[in-house]
């Protein structure tokens, strides 16, 4: 699923005469899903920043920047975007060394290495400082884990008392046996569960104030538009990334589109809080705003494909 990304990012940058030298975050977000793997890209980052209360969290005076843990950071797109737009300090954790190497390179070229760093590590086992972050985020990561408990517990221990987490992921709808097989074998999602069960996993990991927001309609529209426009731009994509990569991505996008269209899977945002330490109050309690709402469904879907420039 991920092996093609490094070479595809480099090819897309080369096409724009950006193989060397300084980059802007806008140069990278213009790469669409090559920069940000999750649905709605920067728009989803903006909404997450609002929900977590970091959209106005730039460091001032005696207040240091908010510390954000990005679990499953890929090539670093969301981490860079959040650091650039909110002033947060972001630590990305990613399992794949080749993605981390590219993330570091792009972040350095974008002038954000002082605010964004990356670690190669398994979300369930990576060494993280206790109470080291104000927030944690994860987009389309938990679906790939057969057992989410260890990763959620590690996130909870890493976020300080009173801190908050935001996760967007798949939950189970009403799949057929064939669709369950597609989830396992094509999407690499071995243990997707229903929304209430996922929320219960957060509670079992020690989180409190757990709330879910239904993103299914927005994600259904997203995956449908992504597949249709990807087919329309076959020649353009294949010219940059190759026909084999095109066919592989088209098959994957079609499978995910069908899973959403048929109600086999749903989209959800989970927000939760790390409870205060017993006997002490959480210093500067952090907000979780508009957690039951989403405006992603109102967004223009232009610019969602690899190589398409956002409005």
């Amino acid at each position: 699923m991920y092996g093609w990304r490094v070479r595809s990012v480099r090819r897309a940058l080369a096409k724009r005469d950006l193989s060397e030298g300084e980059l802007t975050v806008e140069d990278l977000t213009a790469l669409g899903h090559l920069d940000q793997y999750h649905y709605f890209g920067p728009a989803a980052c903006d909404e997450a920043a609002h929900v977590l209360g970091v959209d106005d969290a730039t460091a001032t005076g005696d207040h240091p920047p908010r510390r954000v843990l990005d679990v499953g950071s890929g090539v670093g797109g969301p981490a860079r975007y959040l650091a650039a737009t909110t002033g947060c300090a972001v630590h990305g954790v990613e399992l794949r060394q080749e993605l981390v190497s590219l993330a570091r390179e792009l972040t350095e070229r974008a002038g954000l290495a002082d605010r964004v760093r990356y670690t190669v590590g398994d979300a369930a086992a990576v060494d993280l400082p206790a109470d080291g972050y104000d927030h944690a985020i994860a987009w389309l990561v938990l679906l790939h884990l057969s057992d989410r408990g260890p990763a959620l517990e590690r996130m909870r221990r890493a976020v300080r008392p009173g801190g908050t987490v935001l996760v967007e992921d798949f939950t189970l709808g009403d799949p057929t046996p064939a669709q369950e097989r597609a989830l396992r074998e094509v999407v690499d999602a071995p243990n997707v569960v229903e929304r209430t069960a996922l929320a219960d996993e957060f509670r079992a990991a020690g989180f409190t104030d757990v709330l879910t927001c239904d993103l299914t309609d927005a994600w259904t529209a997203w995956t449908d538009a992504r597949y249709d426009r990807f087919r329309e731009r076959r020649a353009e994509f294949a010219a940059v990334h190759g026909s084999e990569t095109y066919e592989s991505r088209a098959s994957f996008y079609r499978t995910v589109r069908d899973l959403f269209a048929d109600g086999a899977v749903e989209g959800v945002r989970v927000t939760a809080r790390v409870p205060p330490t017993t006997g002490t109050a959480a210093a500067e309690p952090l907000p979780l705003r508009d957690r039951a709402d989403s405006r992603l469904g109102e967004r223009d879907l232009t610019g969602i494909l690899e190589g398409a420039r956002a409005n």
Side-chain angles (χ1 to χ4, degrees):
M1 186 182 297
Y2 301 100
W4 64 285
R5 288 192 180 276
V6 171
R7 65 178 182 273
S8 294
V9 168
R10 295 196 184 283
R11 288 171 180 170
L13 289 174
K15 184 180 180 182
R16 293 164 169 77
D17 294 325
L18 294 172
S19 293
E20 298 178 350
E22 295 181 356
L23 292 168
T24 66
V25 169
E26 291 75 17
D27 289 332
L28 295 168
T29 58
L31 303 182
H33 200 238
L34 291 175
D35 181 62
Q36 308 216 9
Y37 305 167
H38 60 281
Y39 302 157
F40 287 89
C45 293
D46 289 336
E47 189 158 287
H50 171 75
V51 172
L52 293 172
V54 300
D55 47 354
D56 55 0
T58 302
T60 57
D62 296 330
H63 299 284
R66 294 276 175 80
R67 304 159 299 170
V68 179
L69 173 66
D70 181 5
V71 178
S73 51
V75 297
R80 286 187 294 270
Y81 184 84
L82 287 171
T85 57
T86 72
C88 289
V90 188
H91 179 195
V93 173
E94 168 58 49
L95 181 63
R96 297 163 183 83
Q97 174 67 66
E98 67 273 21
L99 299 186
V100 170
S101 295
L102 181 58
R104 289 169 175 161
E105 175 189 332
L106 297 176
T107 301
E108 180 73 32
R109 292 178 61 191
L112 290 168
D114 60 331
R115 275 184 278 168
V116 184
R117 64 188 178 95
Y118 304 95
T119 295
V120 179
D122 185 333
V126 64
D127 185 19
L128 298 171
D131 304 342
Y133 308 91
D134 300 299
H135 311 277
I137 54 175
W139 279 288
L140 296 177
V141 174
L142 297 185
L143 77 161
H144 298 305
L145 306 180
S146 58
D147 180 5
R148 287 170 288 276
L152 290 175
E153 290 172 6
R154 195 159 292 267
M155 289 172 66
R156 192 256 305 158
R157 289 194 297 269
V159 175
R160 71 169 176 83
T164 57
V165 302
L166 182 149
V167 168
E168 292 186 3
D169 222 286
F170 283 22
T171 52
L172 205 62
D174 185 21
T176 65
Q179 289 168 329
E180 290 180 339
R181 186 167 58 252
L183 272 171
R184 293 191 303 270
E185 298 177 0
V186 179
V187 185
D188 189 25
N191 185 26
V192 178
V193 296
E194 294 180 354
R195 186 179 312 163
T196 55
L198 183 61
D200 286 342
E201 290 183 10
F202 277 76
R203 297 185 183 97
F207 289 103
T208 189
D209 200 17
V210 179
L211 190 67
T212 62
C213 175
D214 186 3
L215 302 177
T216 305
D217 288 347
W219 284 14
T220 299
W222 170 275
T223 54
D224 182 52
R226 176 178 65 174
Y227 178 62
D228 284 347
R229 293 196 56 205
F230 193 65
R231 289 192 305 166
E232 291 170 0
R233 300 180 61 245
R234 174 176 182 166
E236 179 182 349
F237 183 93
V240 178
H241 307 294
S243 296
E244 183 177 355
T245 297
Y246 170 82
E247 295 298 339
S248 173
R249 300 315 299 164
S251 177
F252 178 80
Y253 291 160
R254 182 176 62 251
T255 296
V256 175
R257 178 205 63 176
D258 292 347
L259 288 170
F260 275 100
D262 295 342
V265 295
E266 300 174 345
V268 68
R269 176 191 301 141
V270 181
T271 52
R273 188 182 302 280
V274 176
T277 303
T278 302
T280 63
E284 189 189 354
L286 299 169
L288 282 171
R289 304 184 299 207
D290 299 339
R291 289 175 292 150
D293 299 320
S294 174
R295 287 172 288 279
L296 292 180
E298 303 169 5
R299 297 281 187 164
D300 184 353
L301 296 181
T302 301
I304 65 176
L305 299 177
E306 290 85 351
R309 292 191 176 273
N311 287 341

